[in-house]
Amino acid sequence: MFGYSILGLAILIGGYLVWAYNGLVKNKNLVEEGWSGIDVQLRRRADLIPNLIETVKGYAAHEDKLFHDIAELRAKSIAGGTVGEQSAVGQAMSAALGRLFAVAEAYPELKADANFRDLQDKLSHIEDEIQLSRRYYNGAVRNLNTMIESFPTNIVAGQFSFQKAEFFEIGDAAAREVPKVDFKTR
């Protein structure tokens, strides 16, 4: 009888270990999927930027430094990097695009340009998609990190070297606020 109890306990512990390991793998894969979604949207934004710059250049050719800064940030975004690096580049890109749109405000004919308005609408849509992807990713990170830190799955996570994932955050509180840009002709 005692042997059956030990066998039953061993089966329960083995079953728990399998469940915990599989849960950790599932959550790790969800984090990777979430990051892939962010990466796709960042790539879409980076692909849209040259068209946006060329449109604005036609009206504000003297803004070379701004165009150069945006091109540099675009290259860094495409190059990839860690979640923290991409978050910093994304924050800088949003600020640079805000400056670009501020420049565009000074040119009523640019604001009225259909191509510019179309690009601005696409960029706005992509920014919304980045925000949604970031939420999904951060939720997946939260679930993985909770599982890694919670007892007793933290024992399984430690044995199989699961690492906590990094959140995709905006570091600067001022940058957390969505800039209001209105290019509609009045």
Side-chain angles (χ1 to χ4, degrees), residues 61-138:
H62 61 282
E63 297 289 341
D64 285 337
K65 179 169 177 7
L66 177 58
F67 299 142
H68 177 73
D69 291 348
I70 292 173
E72 267 186 20
L73 290 169
R74 179 181 181 270
K76 286 180 184 176
S77 178
I78 290 172
T82 66
V83 172
E85 291 167 348
Q86 283 293 315
S87 180
V89 169
Q91 181 179 336
M93 179 67 78
S94 293
L97 289 172
R99 290 193 316 268
L100 180 70
F101 291 140
V103 165
E105 275 292 315
Y107 299 92
E109 60 278 359
L110 173 60
K111 292 190 314 181
D113 183 278
N115 188 38
F116 179 75
R117 285 195 320 263
D118 180 54
L119 290 170
Q120 193 267 335
D121 288 344
K122 286 179 182 175
L123 183 62
S124 177
H125 178 73
I126 291 170
E127 292 295 335
D128 289 344
E129 291 294 324
I130 290 171
Q131 184 263 350
L132 291 172
S133 297
R134 193 181 94 227
R135 278 186 180 184
Y136 176 85
Y137 170 79
N138 284 343

Side-chain angles (χ1 to χ4, degrees), residues 24-40 83 133 136-142 144 162-163 165-166:
L24 286 163
V25 168
K26 174 186 161 196
N27 283 310
K28 181 177 91 47
N29 289 336
L30 288 172
V31 167
E32 290 172 1
E33 174 191 2
W35 180 249
S36 175
I38 289 174
D39 192 46
V40 165
V83 172
S133 297
Y136 176 85
Y137 170 79
N138 284 343
V141 167
R142 178 199 61 231
L144 174 65
F162 282 91
Q163 300 293 318
E166 187 176 357

